[in-house]
Amino acid sequence: MTNSYHPIDQSKRTAIVDILRGWAILGVAIGNYSDFLHIGVEHKINNSIISDILFYFNRYFFAAKSWTLLTLLFGYGFAILINNVAAKGKNPVTFFAWRMILLFILAFINSSFWLGDILKDYAFLGLVMLLFYKSSAKTLSIICAVLVLAIPFIMAYVSGFKVEHPEITTNPEYLKLYHSGNWLDFFKFNLLASFYEQIIIPGYAITAHIVMFACMLFGFLLQKLDFFNRLNEQKKLLKNTLCISLVTAIIIGIGFNLIISYKVDILKIFHPLYWLVLSTMIFIATGICLLYTHGKLKTIFSYFSAGGKMTLTNYIVQNVLAAFIFSGIGLGIADTMPYWFYFSLAVFVFILQLFISKWWLSKYNYGPIEWLWRSASYRKLFPFKKTQSEVITEIKIV
């Protein structure tokens, strides 16, 4: 391994990308923690007005918008990494395939703690992305457009597929594993639920993966256009995108609700849910980019950036903490609390992670799991702790 074979220097990271990752990981935490309401025997939930408000806030601003944004940024990071490795004269396919194998290992560990793991999907689609890493911006644009236009038709078609499987998360026999307090039982429950509730479900296995792949390719395209490094030049484009995506989301949202209310049969051939999700995600991401270019919320963004630099660590830690809070190996409260509790807990954990991330990165170069993944990927140990001179330099910059 030559000395030229190394990752992008931390100081050269694009700040807005980490800020967007930080925002996305907040939404992922809220979505994941809220899902614990559905692990248990079905029962009537008496929500308060606060719970209802938070439910709809999550529904319109975070649900599915966060993981689609995070997936887009994964594609962006994929492009940067591929370019960096190729520029060093190394084989990017071999390197990235090994990196995705390592991500599969992390995904298996994470799936043992949380049945909603998305890392396995990133690892799988990351390997598929290798087929397109030499594609031009024009080719990527065409593929993205075709996939996005096809999604409503694919979703409508796939929704008719039925796969018989045990209801792991609501079956009392399986729930005994979750609540037993035995670690092996707990891991077994999550791995079984991951398989039956995600991997073999057509709506997830087909539709969600096509959405993810479109987002990854779009992120790849944005990197080819050097989009996030030229935000100040593109304020007019950002403002136009903000308005168009908002109007699009409102029109689709109203139409979608009318279709559901009047039970129109069009959903059997055309299901626009992900168009609503993607347009809303673009609106939110664009809004954050505009705030950033105007120099707003600098202090808040600095914390989001720190959280974004440790996305992998924060994501896995969120899930491990949830295991100790909700399952039988910990407090065992599972689905016994009102919705506001899960939402508030997710926000509290995320804010705590932001402060810890900021403190951690003042002393260390990487998050702990990022460092392990990076070192294993390059098969080389990178400096973990910052030197005194690096710390002094950062203080001067701040």
Side-chain angles (χ1 to χ4, degrees), residues 217-290:
L217 288 178
F218 186 55
F220 195 176
L221 172 62
L222 291 179
Q223 196 283 326
K224 278 188 173 290
L225 299 175
D226 198 26
F227 180 80
F228 289 115
N229 289 317
R230 298 190 299 113
L231 291 182
N232 287 321
E233 306 168 22
Q234 303 179 99
K235 289 183 180 179
K236 185 176 180 180
L237 174 62
L238 289 173
K239 290 176 181 177
N240 290 337
T241 302
L242 186 77
C243 295
I244 293 171
S245 59
L246 176 59
V247 171
T248 302
I250 291 173
I251 292 173
I252 295 174
I254 293 173
F256 190 44
N257 281 305
L258 287 174
I259 289 171
I260 294 174
S261 298
Y262 289 97
K263 299 179 181 179
V264 182
D265 286 342
I266 194 175
L267 292 181
K268 294 180 180 179
I269 59 172
F270 182 83
H271 204 302
L273 174 63
Y274 279 111
W275 276 8
L276 175 59
V277 168
L278 293 175
S279 56
T280 307
M281 179 269 284
I282 291 172
F283 166 72
I284 293 169
T286 305
I288 293 172
C289 287
L290 275 172

Side-chain angles (χ1 to χ4, degrees), residues 115-129:
L115 60 92
D117 168 77
I118 202 171
L119 299 180
K120 63 185 182 304
D121 308 299
Y122 286 2
F124 166 69
L125 292 174
L127 293 174
V128 178
M129 285 278 288

